[in-house]
Amino acid sequence: MYNLKINHAAVSRFFTAFFFIIGLIFTGCDRVAPPQACGPVPTENQLRWQEMEYYAFVHFSLNTYTNQSWGYGDEDVNLFNPAALDCRQWARICKEAGMKGIIFTAKHHCGFCLWPSEYTEYSVKNAPWKEGKGDVVRELADACKEYGLKLGIYLSPWDRNYADYGKPEYITYFRNQLRELLTNYGEIFEVWYDGANGGTGYYGGANENRKIDRTTYYDWKNTYKLVRELQPDIVIWNDGGDRADLRWVGTEAGFVGITNWSLLNGTGEVDWGMLHFGLEDGDSWVPAEVNTSIRPEWFYHPGEDAKVKTLPKLMDTYYNSIGRNATLLLNFPIMPNGLIHPNDEKAALEFAQAVKEAFAVDLTDKAKAEASNIRGNTKKFDASRTIDNNKDTYWATGDSVTTASLIIDFGRPATFNRFLVQEYIRLGQRVKLFKIEAFTGGAWQELATATTIGYKRILRFPTVEAAKLRFTITDSKSCPVISNIGVYDAPQILTPPTIIRDQAGEIHITPADAESEIYYTLDGTEPSKESKKYSVPFQSEGKLEISAIAYEPSSGKSSPVTHEEFDLPRKDWKIVGIHDEEAYAIFDGDPSTAWHQHKDKKMPADLVIDLGQSLNISGFKYHPDMGLWGPGMITDYEFYVSKDKRTWKLVSEGEFPNIRNNPLWQMKQFLPENARYIKFRALSNTENNNNIGYAEVDVITN
Ligand code: FUL
């Protein structure tokens, strides 16, 4: 018999070592430490929000019944009586459109509350709708729950109805309302405050102009504290002045800067550039949210039913928001009957379908990835981590490396035109510059270069066929940490043409792509390739309605329709007292060209126009300069008409609400007047100086 004496300690040491070595073989060198975080990093709430990517805004209030952008605060609550209000319809559309939540205007600037607030009489509780027993926020919260969507709240800090607005008492009122909204409606994912603050209003009957100091009045710090106490998982939006969790991008046109850092400084001034591009060395994580409407305006205006954003426009918005490290907050204006308009629904669903098609097949699924540098040479951080469909793994390089490349080998020639890349932002945002190349014709050809990546960056480039793609990071704040790469072949989408009528009355129709043909109609019917073909500009007379499409003969595909309506041609119009040929840019029909009054001109400043003949005028239109720097948009105006240039009659005065954020055609109507001269007087601008810009000025005739 053998005397087997087992040394238990030695056996256990042996097995520990054995399994450790096996572990190393299978997992690579797990002891290699992950990179340290680089600069500020997102909170769990910010991460969860960023991954939502796409969600809806819904604008609905008394403005819906007055055709206004901003209510003054004295609109009658009796106007609110939607006949078919159905929040389930909103939720269904948002869900089918691939959105993850809905942010609702519980209170817009007019102060009307869409829930029965205990603290004001200016709410649904005094409206005829459901005999004062209705609560739109409740109905929406229930609908969101049913459709698996998150709910967000827009509560305007500016309240043009409340008598105490401007006094400290208002802050208590505002917080009481926040408390109601953040306690009674379940989980709220985002709260939205809006940057428009202070100005004229009803204010309980005072009818005056109230200015507030935005830096101190709202005491945001304590409001934020309250919000976080009530909703620990929430993210807070603000327009930059008071650093919250998310930032505005400085425009409502649907795009963030092509460079987009998710960083800002926690204190100090924030200028437009910081909102738009973020701040490379910012000390706080404040990512960007792109807010834009599916129509030109935020609230419903029947005149915009044919102005719903086209598919190409929405796709651009997608690439310029989600594709640039931001989220997309797309607005639906609700109709007076309480529903989303069918045109908006159609546009949103087509958009969702097109996004789905664009990213349907990821060519990296069957590819191999190889990197120039791998952190600790371990599998844990190697190139394959970028194409393993796991957002928690990543490719990383050694600490001191700030340039590195990664080759995706498709193993056969592949056709593609989109490149998607994501940083592992839990460790911060790092990449400053990168490029992509395709291996074609035996050499590397550059496809695109770009700056920041962040949570997600998508690049578009002309379709290419290649067996390999090279992604090179040429500059980074610290070693790159890339969690995902995707390569796609998105179907082409035809862009609708632009239509311009110049001062001489000539119609110019331009397609985005020179190879497409243009067909148009002049009788309001939908154009097709059987309609009239456009080849050169043509002369037009009188009022005109024109619809046009771009058509691609090779694929037989048509673009969406562009529809424009023009009043009388401005052929004989003269600008009185101004001898500057460039001033005529304001009649050239092209809103992208502008003219500014001489810089010595002080407010109030007049623009006098001789229409060349007497006309029955019932309104006017002003398009501000859309330039990003010093556009000098008029905010308050007076409009006069005259038969003889000596006696003037004031026919319209007021404001162009929200012009700064949404610089589109502004239209004002009045009782018809027969006149030959018009005087458009600027009283103030968006910049509080004397800069006065005009892209277009036109009249509406009877
Ligand atoms: C703006 C507001 O003034 C608009 O009316 C709209 O609500 C938009 C989302 O924010 O600043």
Side-chain angles (χ1 to χ4, degrees):
M1 283 247 318
Y2 296 102
N3 188 0
L4 253 181
K5 225 176 146 200
I6 297 169
N7 180 338
H8 290 283
V11 171
S12 125
R13 270 201 305 276
F14 169 79
F15 277 109
T16 311
F18 176 78
F19 285 120
F20 180 71
I21 290 162
I22 295 289
L24 281 187
I25 292 167
F26 279 101
T27 61
C29 199
D30 253 345
R31 280 169 311 166
V32 178
Q36 300 267 310
C38 164
V41 294
T43 61
E44 285 302 318
N45 290 3
Q46 287 169 319
L47 271 173
R48 211 179 316 108
W49 160 86
Q50 186 100 47
E51 286 173 3
M52 286 175 69
E53 292 195 4
Y54 180 38
Y55 41 95
F57 229 167
V58 164
H59 273 64
F60 186 39
S61 187
L62 288 177
N63 296 352
T64 310
Y65 299 89
T66 56
N67 210 2
Q68 297 185 104
S69 309
W70 287 357
Y72 187 73
D74 62 350
E75 290 75 18
D76 190 350
V77 288
N78 286 310
L79 291 171
F80 193 81
N81 197 10
L85 179 88
D86 182 7
C87 295
R88 296 181 67 246
Q89 186 237 18
W90 313 354
R92 175 189 54 78
I93 293 171
C94 293
K95 185 73 185 186
E96 286 174 10
M99 295 164 146
K100 299 290 183 324
I102 301 180
I103 301 182
F104 179 57
T105 52
K107 180 182 86 169
H108 200 251
H109 311 330
C110 69
F112 180 71
C113 299
L114 282 284
W115 80 104
S117 173
E118 193 187 307
Y119 302 97
T120 178
E121 293 308 305
Y122 202 48
S123 87
V124 282
K125 74 181 177 201
N126 289 317
W129 177 62
K130 296 200 166 171
E131 292 164 348
K133 303 272 179 309
D135 180 346
V136 187
V137 180
R138 167 80 55 224
E139 294 194 11
L140 182 58
D142 291 347
C144 282
K145 213 164 164 198
E146 181 184 338
Y147 282 90
L149 296 167
K150 296 187 180 191
L151 177 67
I153 293 291
Y154 175 120
L155 188 72
S156 169
W158 184 23
D159 189 319
R160 292 173 113 181
N161 173 265
Y162 202 67
D164 282 340
Y165 181 80
K167 299 188 195 143
E169 289 80 356
Y170 173 74
I171 304 306
T172 310
Y173 171 74
F174 182 67
R175 289 188 184 146
N176 282 338
Q177 294 202 315
L178 256 182
R179 192 179 282 279
E180 285 182 321
L181 289 165
L182 301 185
T183 17
N184 297 333
Y185 299 94
E187 193 180 326
I188 304 296
F189 83 96
E190 178 170 339
V191 63
W192 223 90
Y193 291 123
D194 198 85
N197 279 299
T200 55
Y202 172 69
Y203 304 125
N207 287 310
E208 58 191 15
N209 193 348
R210 293 192 180 167
K211 294 214 159 69
I212 51 109
D213 179 349
R214 296 178 48 157
T215 56
T216 53
Y217 180 57
Y218 294 108
D219 177 24
W220 283 119
K221 219 170 115 221
N222 284 308
T223 302
Y224 292 175
K225 217 169 124 211
L226 171 74
V227 170
R228 293 194 203 288
E229 264 165 37
L230 299 174
Q231 293 277 344
D233 293 340
I234 206 166
V235 280
I236 303 174
W237 183 98
N238 215 325
D239 70 342
D242 284 272
R243 239 65 89 234
D245 298 322
L246 321 173
R247 67 174 211 269
W248 185 45
V249 296
T251 170
E252 292 174 354
F255 63 100
V256 66
I258 197 154
T259 292
N260 178 18
W261 292 100
S262 290
L263 308 177
L264 279 186
N265 278 335
T267 51
E269 284 288 298
V270 173
D271 62 25
W272 186 87
M274 295 175 191
L275 289 174
H276 202 59
F277 303 106
L279 204 55
E280 183 177 330
D281 295 317
D283 60 22
S284 310
W285 188 269
V286 190
E289 176 186 79
V290 169
N291 65 302
T292 193
S293 187
I294 198 157
R295 294 168 173 235
E297 287 277 356
W298 295 97
F299 282 94
Y300 179 77
H301 306 286
E304 291 184 348
D305 285 352
K307 293 275 170 206
V308 178
K309 285 186 177 146
T310 59
L311 180 59
K313 179 75 193 158
L314 288 168
M315 288 307 283
D316 271 348
T317 305
Y318 181 89
Y319 288 112
N320 295 338
S321 55
I322 294 172
R324 287 186 185 171
N325 186 32
T327 58
L328 174 57
L329 172 55
L330 183 69
N331 178 63
F332 292 108
I334 301 301
M335 292 190 286
N337 68 1
L339 297 173
I340 292 177
H341 192 282
N343 292 0
D344 304 37
E345 171 175 2
K346 187 164 170 271
L349 298 186
E350 271 174 19
F351 175 37
Q353 183 58 25
V355 171
K356 213 167 157 190
E357 280 169 19
F359 300 99
V361 179
D362 184 352
L363 298 170
T364 67
D365 283 351
K366 293 197 179 123
K368 288 202 179 84
E370 201 182 313
S372 63
N373 184 302
I374 298 164
R375 187 177 190 81
N377 276 326
T378 156
K379 195 161 187 307
K380 185 174 168 195
F381 299 121
D382 80 2
S384 70
R385 302 302 179 177
T386 61
I387 55 172
D388 64 359
N389 291 322
N390 181 345
K391 67 182 168 67
D392 298 320
T393 60
Y394 50 85
W395 163 52
T397 67
D399 276 335
S400 54
V401 178
T402 52
T403 64
S405 63
L406 183 149
I407 292 174
I408 306 276
D409 187 346
F410 304 108
R412 60 180 170 91
T415 312
F416 53 92
N417 52 24
R418 300 286 183 273
F419 178 76
L420 181 152
V421 55
Q422 297 186 270
E423 284 184 86
Y424 184 73
I425 55 170
R426 279 179 191 276
L427 295 177
Q429 189 181 352
R430 300 156 177 253
V431 175
K432 289 163 65 164
L433 195 63
F434 69 98
K435 66 174 174 188
I436 49 167
E437 296 153 296
F439 195 70
T440 55
W444 288 106
Q445 312 277 350
E446 188 169 298
L447 298 174
T449 60
T451 51
T452 48
I453 296 176
Y455 169 72
K456 186 179 273 188
R457 185 74 199 259
I458 308 173
L459 301 184
R460 290 184 280 181
F461 43 87
T463 307
V464 63
E465 195 186 81
K468 286 183 204 170
L469 177 146
R470 183 162 67 185
F471 162 55
T472 305
I473 293 158
T474 36
D475 197 6
S476 180
K477 281 167 114 175
S478 185
C479 66
V481 177
I482 305 295
S483 72
N484 182 35
I485 287 177
V487 179
Y488 305 88
D489 185 20
Q492 297 295 313
I493 293 169
L494 266 175
T495 307
T498 54
I499 309 176
I500 279 176
R501 169 148 82 175
D502 68 14
Q503 200 190 348
E506 232 178 37
I507 299 289
H508 301 250
I509 316 181
T510 325
D513 165 10
E515 279 156 44
S516 41
E517 296 171 355
I518 294 171
Y519 294 90
Y520 69 96
T521 62
L522 296 173
D523 58 4
T525 58
E526 183 130 337
S528 69
K529 78 172 221 312
E530 313 311 326
S531 310
K532 222 170 159 87
K533 189 169 177 186
Y534 172 89
S535 45
V536 287
F538 61 90
Q539 190 60 37
S540 67
E541 300 297 332
K543 293 197 179 198
L544 190 75
E545 187 178 346
I546 173 159
S547 308
I549 49 162
Y551 173 79
E552 196 183 56
S554 57
S555 64
K557 281 190 184 168
S558 306
S559 75
V561 180
T562 306
H563 180 84
E564 293 290 353
E565 286 174 34
F566 300 102
D567 210 281
L568 299 179
R570 291 168 284 181
K571 223 183 299 187
D572 304 320
W573 289 27
K574 296 260 169 334
I575 304 176
V576 178
I578 287 169
H579 307 285
D580 177 358
E581 270 310 303
E582 290 184 9
Y584 284 83
I586 72 175
F587 304 144
D588 68 359
D590 181 359
S592 68
T593 59
W595 171 75
H596 286 233
Q597 289 264 21
H598 192 272
K599 58 181 183 320
D600 297 339
K601 194 103 173 183
K602 298 261 179 312
M603 300 275 186
D606 293 341
L607 176 74
V608 178
I609 298 170
D610 176 357
L611 307 175
Q613 58 177 312
S614 288
L615 296 172
N616 273 337
I617 308 170
S618 58
F620 80 97
K621 285 163 69 179
Y622 162 58
H623 199 305
D625 178 0
M626 294 186 292
L628 295 178
W629 309 109
M633 300 178 193
I634 301 169
T635 42
D636 292 283
Y637 75 93
E638 286 168 355
F639 193 83
Y640 299 82
V641 296
S642 168
K643 288 186 191 312
D644 55 11
K645 229 183 346 153
R646 276 190 295 276
T647 326
W648 291 95
K649 180 169 178 189
L650 178 66
V651 286
S652 175
E653 64 184 317
E655 62 179 352
F656 299 123
N658 207 28
I659 192 168
R660 181 169 67 101
N661 301 333
N662 215 4
L664 305 168
W665 275 112
Q666 309 289 314
M667 190 168 84
K668 297 287 174 184
Q669 282 177 295
F670 42 81
L671 291 175
E673 284 286 338
N674 190 268
R676 168 162 175 173
Y677 301 92
I678 57 172
K679 179 154 65 183
F680 180 24
R681 175 168 289 173
L683 301 176
S684 60
N685 74 357
T686 42
E687 293 145 34
N688 281 329
N689 60 21
N690 289 307
N691 177 17
I692 312 158
Y694 315 79
E696 289 289 307
V697 175
D698 205 349
V699 294
I700 301 164
T701 61
N702 273 27

